[in-house]
Amino acid sequence: MATVSSGTAASYAVVFVHGFLDAPAIWNGVIAKLDAHRIIASSIDLPGMGTLAADCDEISLERYASVVSGELSKHDLPVILVGQSMGAQVAELAAVANPGKVAGLVLVTPVPLGGVKAPAEMVAPFKLLGGNPEAQRQTRAALSPALNPAQLDVLDSFGASVLPATAARLVDIWNEGCPSGDAPSEFTGPVVILRGGADEFVTEDMATMISGRFAGSRVEEVAGGGHWLHLEQPTEVARVINAMIADLEVGGDWQQAFKKQSADAFAVTFAEDVQLEAGVMFMPVRGRDNIKQVMEAASKIYEHLEFVAHATIGNDQYLQWEARAFGGMEISGVTIITRNECKAIQNVAIHHRPLGAALKFSVAIGERLAGKIDSSHFLAAGDLPSPFRN
């Protein structure tokens, strides 16, 4: 396991998981392009590869996810997990196993968690790559046509230590995948999927299929990029990671939760003992399970909502928004988000205007949450002043 530190006053940790026949050093070019003032980066050596080539007692996605979970536990900061190819399978499993720790996923030329499911005759050549450096080089060059000789030399050095039996087993695990990969992902945070336009292994259709399993994801394609996109174009990969962190730092996770309008999407952003205050409620609501229900109901009242400005001061984020509800009624307001030391949301204060909209909103959300949240938090329909009843 290799660790590379890129900052002392960091707000996020970035943990990198390499792919088939590779090693942690493959991420060095990407790490060098990260925002060193905001990030601590570490790259993991998976058993059977790199310096752990002799550790081949158990080669499985589950074991690899456990190794990644161990690395996550070393960081007090929220984590962005980055995985490439087979490493993307591992990263998703680790993210699901650590829901309060992983803030986002960047999947580079990912293999589907459910497996490629290629027939035996198609994967047979990959199974013969262990101990065969010439075949490895040819395969890498075919899947990443833009790799130059020096980059291929680097990849050759990584693959040289992988034993033939280990290489064959690795092919089985990424081809067979994990049963949970056939269902929607349990990870609800932001996900960016990066594919290379010249990668014939991770096709556009495959990337779209993988994206469809996540509640909030997008696919970005890098023109001319191949399967080893992170070695070919580290600046592009680093740009995506830096952008995800910048987005999270200005409440991007909160904004994405509003787009998804789901309780689980809000829950992933909250600390367990989070508190919600709002001008449409008589008293605060406390606790992740309660507040995720309130926010899901609230988000569905809006016919349209757009975040128009933001600012961050210390642990506080200020999001200005404009919305419509109740048949086109204009509403605007400010949301103040306070985060704890792990960047989870500790307190939310939501301010609505004008008064009429706030009163109608209080009644509407109370009706939607009847039987779920104590009705004393909200204005009853019969108590709504007559000018605002229509």
Side-chain angles (χ1 to χ4, degrees), residues 259-270:
K259 290 180 181 179
K260 299 171 194 174
Q261 297 183 332
S262 77
D264 287 341
F266 282 103
V268 77
T269 71
F270 293 145

Side-chain angles (χ1 to χ4, degrees), residues 23-110:
I26 197 168
W27 295 107
N28 288 355
V30 175
I31 292 171
K33 302 290 184 179
L34 296 179
D35 187 335
H37 299 291
R38 299 203 320 250
I39 295 168
I40 293 175
S42 61
S43 50
I44 294 173
D45 219 343
L46 297 177
M49 293 176 276
T51 63
L52 300 180
D55 183 359
C56 50
D57 292 340
E58 180 188 349
I59 302 295
S60 68
L61 292 177
E62 291 75 16
R63 183 188 178 192
Y64 286 168
S66 178
V67 170
V68 175
S69 293
E71 177 66 15
L72 297 181
S73 69
K74 298 177 182 179
H75 295 283
D76 294 330
L77 298 169
V79 174
I80 305 298
L81 257 180
V82 185
Q84 186 265 342
S85 194
M86 181 188 73
Q89 297 174 305
V90 178
E92 182 183 343
L93 287 177
V96 169
N98 297 272
K101 192 68 180 175
V102 178
L105 283 174
V106 176
L107 306 180
V108 183
T109 60

Side-chain angles (χ1 to χ4, degrees), residues 2-305:
T3 301
V4 181
S5 294
S6 300
T8 56
S11 57
Y12 283 85
V14 184
V15 174
F16 294 89
V17 187
H18 67 76
F20 178 57
L21 301 182
D22 289 336
I26 197 168
W27 295 107
N28 288 355
V30 175
I31 292 171
K33 302 290 184 179
L34 296 179
D35 187 335
H37 299 291
R38 299 203 320 250
I39 295 168
I40 293 175
S42 61
S43 50
I44 294 173
D45 219 343
L46 297 177
M49 293 176 276
T51 63
L52 300 180
D55 183 359
C56 50
D57 292 340
E58 180 188 349
I59 302 295
S60 68
L61 292 177
E62 291 75 16
R63 183 188 178 192
Y64 286 168
S66 178
V67 170
V68 175
S69 293
E71 177 66 15
L72 297 181
S73 69
K74 298 177 182 179
H75 295 283
D76 294 330
L77 298 169
V79 174
I80 305 298
L81 257 180
V82 185
Q84 186 265 342
S85 194
M86 181 188 73
Q89 297 174 305
V90 178
E92 182 183 343
L93 287 177
V96 169
N98 297 272
K101 192 68 180 175
V102 178
L105 283 174
V106 176
L107 306 180
V108 183
T109 60
V111 171
L113 179 59
V116 178
K117 298 295 193 293
E121 60 272 19
M122 288 186 64
V123 297
F126 289 96
K127 287 191 168 190
L128 298 176
L129 293 179
N132 191 338
E134 183 177 350
Q136 287 184 27
R137 192 177 182 95
Q138 291 174 352
T139 299
R140 296 187 197 264
L143 296 179
S144 267
L147 286 170
N148 61 45
Q151 291 169 332
L152 286 168
D153 288 344
V154 169
L155 292 172
D156 288 348
S157 70
F158 296 155
S161 63
V162 180
L163 300 174
T166 299
R169 174 59 185 150
L170 289 170
V171 173
D172 283 337
I173 69 170
W174 57 248
N175 190 47
E176 295 169 7
C178 179
S180 63
D182 297 326
S185 179
E186 295 179 34
F187 181 74
T188 58
V191 180
V192 178
I193 294 166
L194 270 177
R195 74 168 296 267
D199 184 0
E200 296 184 359
F201 192 89
V202 178
T203 63
E204 183 177 357
D205 287 345
M206 183 182 288
T208 301
M209 180 273 291
I210 295 170
S211 177
R213 294 185 50 252
F214 294 95
S217 67
R218 72 176 190 272
V219 178
E220 291 194 21
E221 181 173 305
V222 179
H227 194 65
W228 281 270
L229 183 62
H230 49 328
L231 186 60
E232 294 175 18
Q233 300 195 41
T235 300
E236 279 299 299
V237 178
R239 177 191 59 79
V240 169
I241 298 168
N242 285 328
M244 176 177 282
I245 291 173
D247 192 38
L248 289 170
E249 288 181 334
V250 295
D253 51 350
W254 179 262
Q255 296 180 47
Q256 285 298 315
F258 259 95
K259 290 180 181 179
K260 299 171 194 174
Q261 297 183 332
S262 77
D264 287 341
F266 282 103
V268 77
T269 71
F270 293 145
E272 184 65 37
D273 57 347
V274 61
Q275 174 177 273
L276 170 66
E277 304 170 275
V280 301
M281 302 191 310
F282 288 111
M283 64 194 80
V285 174
R286 295 180 174 87
R288 179 189 293 158
D289 290 341
N290 289 329
I291 295 176
K292 72 180 186 180
Q293 294 184 78
V294 174
M295 292 312 307
E296 179 182 47
S299 67
K300 291 180 179 178
I301 293 174
Y302 298 110
E303 295 155 2
H304 171 78
L305 185 144

